[in-house]
Amino acid sequence: MTSSSVIRSSAAARAAGDRVPWRSRLTRADVKFAPYFFIAPFFVLFAIFGAFPLVYTGWVSLHDWHLIGEHTFVGFANYTALFADPDFWNALKNTVGIFLLATVPQLLMALAVANLLNRKIRARTFFRMGVLIPNVTSVAAVGIVFGQLFARDVGLVNYLITTFGLDAVDWQANTWSSWIAIAVMVDWRWTGYNTLILLGAMQAIPKDLYESASLDGAAPWQQFWRITVPLLRPTLVFTVIISTIGGLQLFTEPVIFGNGKMLGGTLGQFQTVTMYMYETAFQRFQYGYGAAIAWSLFGLIVVFSLVNLLLIRRAAR
């Protein structure tokens, strides 16, 4: 073999060695880009049905936008008017009041029920499935039933109250009574949902920790506060934020409690921000002002969620 033949053979061997098979390139591309393709549908749908409406609502909020007529750009005039609107502040007060009355007891009850269902009790599966029944019940049916329970003249709650010698309560007429009635309705629907989430997190806690604590003489309540609650911190943060978002967007329960009207009682004693937004945008046809209410509510949810996040993290340390 001549020297030139040897050189050509060596170059061909190096070229063959450097050439990556197409199957290897395909595998690398699959590993590198496949996760993006899998998550892309969510972000595409979110961009269409989440991000675009959010941005468009912000654009509408900067206009004097009526159903019929021209759309006039007014800048932040809708937000300026909103901060001086007593009806908005009344709706915000009702929303925060009902949110506190509903969310705090709801999460505490969910934590307690989850702790009970995490123990060895009879018919445990039945009770675990049973707590979810209120959540799968139609909200319209829930509203109708609770509307009857809290009826002024023939309601079961007033019957029990008067049995103990107390005066009957007109639950829709007063602010505090309507808040309590709606909060009970919300708690009945969502306590089981949060219970299952917390129960799932409790079952992931290693049993060795409880056995070691028992050997060291820790009482059950000490194990709960020293082991269970700190290890539930990520799940507690999740449930608190989800409950905050749902509580500040409360709409269906007070609407049904008020017989389908958006006014929230004769004096707006239980009208929430979402009800006021709906009334403004779709009954008064002031879309620009309604969009400003929507964006203000979005800002409030962000602020409340961040505050709750900080409080939960500090309390669970």
Side-chain angles (χ1 to χ4, degrees), residues 9 77-78 103 105 120 126 129 161 199 208-209 235 253 256 313:
S9 299
N78 284 327
T103 303
K120 294 181 180 178
F126 171 78
M129 296 177 63
I161 290 176
L199 177 62
D208 299 345
L209 296 176
T235 310
E253 286 86 353
I256 296 177
R313 283 188 172 181

Side-chain angles (χ1 to χ4, degrees), residues 38 60 91 111 132 142 147 150 186 198 232 241 251 255 261 264 271:
F38 284 128
V60 173
L111 189 61
L132 199 60
V142 174
F150 287 99
V186 174
L198 294 172
L232 285 179
I241 291 178
F251 179 78
V255 169
K261 298 178 181 177
Q271 185 185 49

